[in-house]
Amino acid sequence: MPKLNENFLKLQNNYLFAEIAHRTAAYTEANPDKPLIRLGIGDVTLPLSDIVLQALHQSVDEMGNSGSFKGYGPEQGYEKTRTAISDYYKRNGVSVDADDIFISDGAKSDTGNITDLFGHDNIILIPDPVYPVYVDSNTMCGNQITYISATAENDFLPMPDHNQHVDLIYICSPNNPTGACYNKKQLQEWVDYAIANEAVILFDSAYEAFISDPELPRSIYAIEGAKKCAIEFCSLSKTAGFTGTRCGYTIVPKELVFRASNGEEMSLHAMWNRRQSTKYNGTAYIIQNAAAAVFSEEGMAQCRKNIQYYQRNAQIIANTMTELGIRFYGGLHSPYIWFECPNGMDAWTCFDYLLNQIQVVGTPGAGFGENGKNFFRLTSFGNYENTVEAMNRFRKLFC
């Protein structure tokens, strides 16, 4: 009989969004005549932009010709795609070496797989509430987690405790689920703290394209010293609507060098390259060619139109919350609105209440951590008409 990874026993029975899908499906089966509006999972609804479609069609044609056919590609990603991303960072005032960029099938995979680089006796700091993948992936491999509390009192932007030592720090900004966004001064404090502790920041910037204030950093590498202490993850899922197309990237600077227990230097860049070369055969050429088109100036202009559409939805939700006197966060530099459950409800009670009373599906904050037990997340990724209708239902229910 094999010995199993019993750390899986420590996980909740269902991943958060699987539980939401289960409850929603049960309601739909029992009430087929009541149309649902889904504002829960962060899945986009607008189609891919024209420049992406052109690149996809071009790449498919290339794969049908023996002279341009591509087989196995480099595990790190094609140079064209990595250079396009590097150029995008430069246009935003941040210098990132194309050789430090690794293309993948999404930030979710990489934020989970990055645990391969680190031992299991580190002090791992994760905010609460937080994107569940950070917690679950560390729980699966037996890592011990220390939580830092993100609450309404600190605007869901916790800062380091300089009397506490940690080894790994998870930061998501703009934040999923709360929508909160760190400013440069706050991130500089985190970078300085990481350097002082010889810690590594794992920085998830999946929603950076939603930041509209030029004073707010869209990358951890906009902060002095960050290349000495930070790995950055990003995704095209929300930037370019690639939730079904699957592409993301991780930046591991060559400056990230630490000493092993025997005194030997180990490079996280080299380790990640070795890990990817061993366990990953690279993102499909067709997808990477489309991703390169996204990061062109024309591609980003087209993507911004879609982002503006979702930002308008977020504003509609935010305006409704203000009108109803419901305290909320996010919605400005993020596609998510994080609101306090009305009438003292807990998060799952609120989920069932909204589902049964007005047929609106959202995400219970309890799924993101203890500090989310009285909060609820709505997404702006629905279509405009459904967003307006959902807010009309909110008004009828809570006025």
Side-chain angles (χ1 to χ4, degrees):
M1 177 177 175
K3 294 181 179 179
L4 304 182
N5 182 356
E6 296 183 3
N7 292 309
F8 275 69
L9 297 173
K10 303 173 185 177
L11 298 171
Q12 296 181 13
N13 288 336
N14 279 333
Y15 180 58
L16 170 61
F17 297 107
E19 177 62 23
I20 291 170
H22 172 74
R23 294 195 186 198
T24 303
Y27 179 86
T28 301
E29 184 177 355
N31 302 274
D33 58 325
K34 294 183 178 180
L36 294 180
I37 297 177
R38 301 174 187 268
L39 300 179
I41 191 169
D43 196 1
V44 297
T45 52
L46 293 177
L48 298 170
S49 63
D50 290 342
I51 195 169
V52 169
L53 292 177
Q54 291 169 12
L56 288 171
H57 286 299
Q58 174 193 338
S59 303
V60 169
D61 289 340
E62 289 179 24
M63 295 296 282
N65 186 301
S66 60
S68 53
F69 173 80
K70 298 288 192 301
Y72 289 123
E75 292 87 355
Q76 302 82 2
Y78 287 98
E79 182 178 356
K80 174 182 178 180
T81 310
R82 292 185 286 112
T83 299
I85 296 170
S86 177
D87 289 344
Y88 169 70
Y89 272 76
K90 288 176 185 176
R91 294 199 301 272
N92 287 315
V94 177
S95 175
V96 171
D97 191 333
D99 289 341
D100 289 346
I101 299 170
F102 295 79
I103 310 300
S104 71
D105 63 352
K108 181 177 182 179
S109 300
D110 284 359
T111 54
N113 292 332
I114 201 70
T115 55
D116 284 358
L117 302 193
F118 302 101
H120 300 306
D121 52 355
N122 288 301
I123 301 173
I124 300 169
L125 190 66
I126 297 181
D128 176 357
V130 74
Y131 182 42
V133 172
Y134 309 157
V135 174
D136 288 357
S137 58
N138 278 283
T139 301
M140 286 175 183
C141 54
N143 293 339
Q144 296 297 310
I145 299 169
T146 297
Y147 291 98
I148 184 170
S149 188
T151 65
E153 286 65 36
N154 59 25
D155 295 322
F156 293 99
L157 294 169
M159 298 304 296
D161 178 355
H162 293 275
N163 295 316
Q164 177 188 29
H165 170 79
V166 300
D167 301 298
L168 297 174
I169 304 161
Y170 282 81
I171 295 177
C172 179
S173 181
N175 183 266
N176 178 14
T178 69
C181 187
Y182 282 105
N183 61 36
K184 287 183 179 179
K185 182 179 179 181
Q186 290 167 324
L187 283 184
Q188 186 68 65
E189 185 173 342
W190 273 113
V191 167
D192 293 344
Y193 171 78
I195 291 173
N197 281 268
E198 295 186 286
V200 175
I201 295 173
L202 303 174
F203 189 80
D204 186 347
S205 65
Y207 302 94
E208 58 85 19
F210 283 80
I211 296 176
S212 54
D213 184 348
E215 294 302 312
L216 292 175
R218 296 171 63 171
S219 166
I220 191 67
Y221 303 121
I223 308 303
E224 184 177 354
K227 289 183 180 180
K228 299 176 182 178
C229 67
I231 294 172
E232 180 161 301
F233 309 88
C234 201
S235 166
L236 279 76
S237 290
K238 309 309 190 294
T239 299
F242 271 46
T243 52
T245 314
R246 308 309 307 143
C247 191
Y249 60 89
T250 293
I251 303 171
V252 188
K254 297 180 187 68
E255 290 90 335
L256 290 174
V257 177
F258 298 91
R259 290 198 177 276
S261 57
N262 65 359
E264 183 179 350
E265 284 193 344
M266 297 185 71
S267 160
L268 292 185
H269 177 95
M271 291 171 67
W272 185 245
N273 184 60
R274 184 68 171 84
R275 189 265 174 211
Q276 293 298 82
S277 298
T278 301
K279 293 188 175 184
Y280 188 61
N281 260 342
T283 305
Y285 168 73
I286 293 170
I287 302 302
Q288 288 199 53
N289 206 36
V294 165
F295 288 105
S296 67
E297 292 191 50
E298 180 183 356
M300 288 309 303
Q302 292 183 12
C303 290
R304 275 192 288 272
K305 290 182 180 179
N306 285 2
I307 290 170
Q308 288 167 1
Y309 179 96
Y310 297 131
Q311 287 174 324
R312 180 173 67 157
N313 287 348
Q315 190 61 59
I316 290 167
I317 299 172
N319 289 345
T320 303
M321 296 297 153
T322 300
E323 178 185 332
L324 296 175
I326 298 173
R327 185 167 64 157
F328 72 95
Y329 300 82
L332 181 58
H333 303 295
S334 163
Y336 299 122
I337 286 79
W338 178 255
F339 69 86
E340 195 166 21
C341 298
N343 304 325
M345 286 185 282
D346 66 73
W348 280 108
T349 299
C350 187
F351 175 88
D352 291 333
Y353 185 65
L354 295 176
L355 178 61
N356 286 281
Q357 295 299 316
I358 59 174
Q359 294 75 57
V360 173
V361 178
T363 306
F368 299 102
E370 178 68 19
N371 286 342
K373 63 184 180 181
N374 295 114
F375 285 84
F376 204 83
R377 193 193 77 175
L378 292 178
T379 172
S380 66
F381 287 123
N383 67 42
Y384 173 78
E385 292 75 17
N386 281 348
T387 302
V388 171
E389 172 59 23
M391 292 304 99
N392 286 336
R393 295 182 188 183
F394 261 75
R395 290 187 185 91
K396 291 177 183 178
L397 186 61
F398 293 114
C399 273

